[in-house]
Amino acid sequence: QVQLVESGGGLVQPGGSLRLSCAASGSILSINTMGWYRQGPGKPRELVAGVDNGGTRNYVDSVKGRFTISRDNAKNTVHLQMNSLQPEDTAVYYCYMKAFRNGGSRYADYWGQGTQVTVSS
Protein backbone atom coordinates (compact mmCIF):
# COMPACT_ATOMS: atom_id res chain seq x y z
CA GLN A 1 0.00 0.00 0.00
CA VAL A 2 0.94 3.64 -0.43
CA GLN A 3 0.53 6.06 2.46
CA LEU A 4 0.90 9.82 2.44
CA VAL A 5 1.81 11.60 5.67
CA GLU A 6 1.51 15.37 5.92
CA SER A 7 3.12 17.78 8.34
CA GLY A 8 3.56 21.48 8.87
CA GLY A 9 0.08 22.84 9.44
CA GLY A 10 -0.85 25.13 12.29
CA LEU A 11 -1.97 28.57 13.36
CA VAL A 12 -0.36 31.64 11.86
CA GLN A 13 -1.10 35.35 11.83
CA PRO A 14 -2.07 37.14 8.61
CA GLY A 15 1.03 37.86 6.56
CA GLY A 16 2.87 34.90 8.05
CA SER A 17 4.30 31.80 6.44
CA LEU A 18 3.99 28.05 6.74
CA ARG A 19 5.60 25.15 4.95
CA LEU A 20 3.65 21.97 4.38
CA SER A 21 5.36 18.68 3.63
CA CYS A 22 4.03 15.34 2.47
CA ALA A 23 6.00 12.11 2.30
CA ALA A 24 4.86 8.97 0.52
CA SER A 25 5.78 5.55 1.82
CA GLY A 26 5.25 2.07 0.49
CA SER A 27 6.44 0.16 -2.51
CA ILE A 28 6.28 2.93 -5.10
CA LEU A 29 7.60 2.52 -8.61
CA SER A 30 6.74 5.93 -10.00
CA ILE A 31 4.88 9.11 -9.10
CA ASN A 32 3.32 11.21 -11.83
CA THR A 33 1.52 14.21 -10.38
CA MET A 34 1.95 15.58 -6.86
CA GLY A 35 -0.24 18.30 -5.49
CA TRP A 36 -2.10 20.03 -2.71
CA TYR A 37 -5.84 20.53 -2.37
CA ARG A 38 -7.68 22.43 0.32
CA GLN A 39 -11.17 22.60 1.72
CA GLY A 40 -12.27 25.62 3.68
CA PRO A 41 -15.33 25.82 5.93
CA GLY A 42 -18.45 25.47 3.83
CA LYS A 43 -16.46 25.35 0.61
CA PRO A 44 -15.78 22.60 -1.93
CA ARG A 45 -12.34 21.04 -2.16
CA GLU A 46 -10.13 22.91 -4.62
CA LEU A 47 -6.77 22.30 -6.21
CA VAL A 48 -4.22 24.73 -4.76
CA ALA A 49 -1.07 23.68 -6.59
CA GLY A 50 0.27 20.77 -8.59
CA VAL A 51 3.55 19.67 -10.14
CA ASP A 52 4.03 16.91 -12.69
CA ASN A 53 7.02 14.64 -13.10
CA GLY A 54 8.45 17.01 -15.68
CA GLY A 55 8.49 19.84 -13.15
CA THR A 56 5.62 21.82 -14.63
CA ARG A 57 3.74 23.66 -11.89
CA ASN A 58 0.24 25.07 -11.79
CA TYR A 59 -1.51 27.15 -9.16
CA VAL A 60 -4.99 28.39 -8.44
CA ASP A 61 -5.13 32.10 -9.18
CA SER A 62 -5.69 33.12 -5.57
CA VAL A 63 -2.28 31.80 -4.44
CA LYS A 64 -0.10 32.76 -7.41
CA GLY A 65 2.91 34.73 -6.26
CA ARG A 66 2.44 33.63 -2.64
CA PHE A 67 2.68 29.82 -2.67
CA THR A 68 5.40 27.64 -4.17
CA ILE A 69 5.15 23.92 -4.72
CA SER A 70 8.25 21.74 -4.99
CA ARG A 71 8.97 18.02 -5.15
CA ASP A 72 11.85 15.77 -4.23
CA ASN A 73 11.63 12.67 -6.39
CA ALA A 74 14.41 10.87 -4.53
CA LYS A 75 12.44 11.12 -1.28
CA ASN A 76 8.92 10.88 -2.75
CA THR A 77 8.01 14.12 -1.05
CA VAL A 78 6.19 17.29 -1.99
CA HIS A 79 6.28 20.63 -0.23
CA LEU A 80 4.11 23.71 -0.26
CA GLN A 81 5.73 26.95 0.86
CA MET A 82 2.98 29.39 1.78
CA ASN A 83 3.84 33.06 2.24
CA SER A 84 1.72 36.14 2.88
CA LEU A 85 -1.02 33.97 4.30
CA GLN A 86 -4.48 35.47 4.58
CA PRO A 87 -7.57 34.45 6.56
CA GLU A 88 -9.16 33.13 3.35
CA ASP A 89 -6.35 30.57 3.15
CA THR A 90 -7.76 28.89 6.26
CA ALA A 91 -8.61 25.33 5.32
CA VAL A 92 -7.70 21.70 5.70
CA TYR A 93 -4.92 21.01 3.22
CA TYR A 94 -4.67 17.59 1.59
CA CYS A 95 -1.66 16.12 -0.14
CA TYR A 96 -2.32 14.21 -3.36
CA MET A 97 -0.19 11.93 -5.51
CA LYS A 98 -0.86 9.86 -8.59
CA ALA A 99 1.44 6.89 -8.11
CA PHE A 100 2.20 3.48 -9.56
CA ARG A 101 2.85 1.00 -6.81
CA ASN A 102 4.71 -2.28 -7.01
CA GLY A 103 2.17 -4.94 -7.97
CA GLY A 104 -0.31 -2.42 -9.31
CA SER A 105 -1.73 -2.36 -12.81
CA ARG A 106 -2.07 1.38 -13.33
CA TYR A 107 -1.49 4.76 -11.72
CA ALA A 108 -3.83 5.34 -8.81
CA ASP A 109 -4.81 8.36 -6.70
CA TYR A 110 -3.59 8.61 -3.12
CA TRP A 111 -4.50 11.17 -0.47
CA GLY A 112 -3.09 12.32 2.82
CA GLN A 113 -5.19 12.62 5.95
CA GLY A 114 -5.25 16.41 5.84
CA THR A 115 -3.57 19.08 7.93
CA GLN A 116 -5.29 22.16 9.32
CA VAL A 117 -4.02 25.60 8.40
CA THR A 118 -5.60 28.48 10.32
CA VAL A 119 -4.76 32.10 9.54
CA SER A 120 -6.01 34.40 12.26
CA SER A 121 -4.90 37.26 14.43
Side-chain angles (χ1 to χ4, degrees), residues 4-6 20-24 31-38 45-53 56-59 68-72 76-80 92-99 109-115:
L4 305 186
V5 178
E6 300 145 340
L20 304 182
S21 296
C22 175
I31 300 176
N32 187 344
T33 304
M34 297 182 179
W36 292 91
Y37 284 70
R38 68 184 178 187
R45 188 176 295 193
E46 67 171 350
L47 174 65
V48 177
V51 56
D52 66 20
N53 55 6
T56 299
R57 299 174 173 83
N58 63 286
Y59 300 93
T68 302
I69 189 170
S70 61
R71 62 187 284 171
D72 183 335
N76 290 337
T77 59
V78 62
H79 306 284
L80 186 67
V92 178
Y93 284 71
Y94 297 90
C95 172
Y96 160 80
M97 295 189 189
K98 184 176 288 291
D109 298 334
Y110 297 94
W111 294 88
Q113 78 284 359
T115 185

Side-chain angles (χ1 to χ4, degrees), residues 4 6 11 26 35 42-44 50 52 60 62-63 69 79 105 107 120-121:
L4 305 186
E6 300 145 340
L11 172 65
K43 298 180 181 179
D52 66 20
V60 66
S62 60
V63 307
I69 189 170
H79 306 284
S105 59
Y107 281 91
S120 175
S121 55

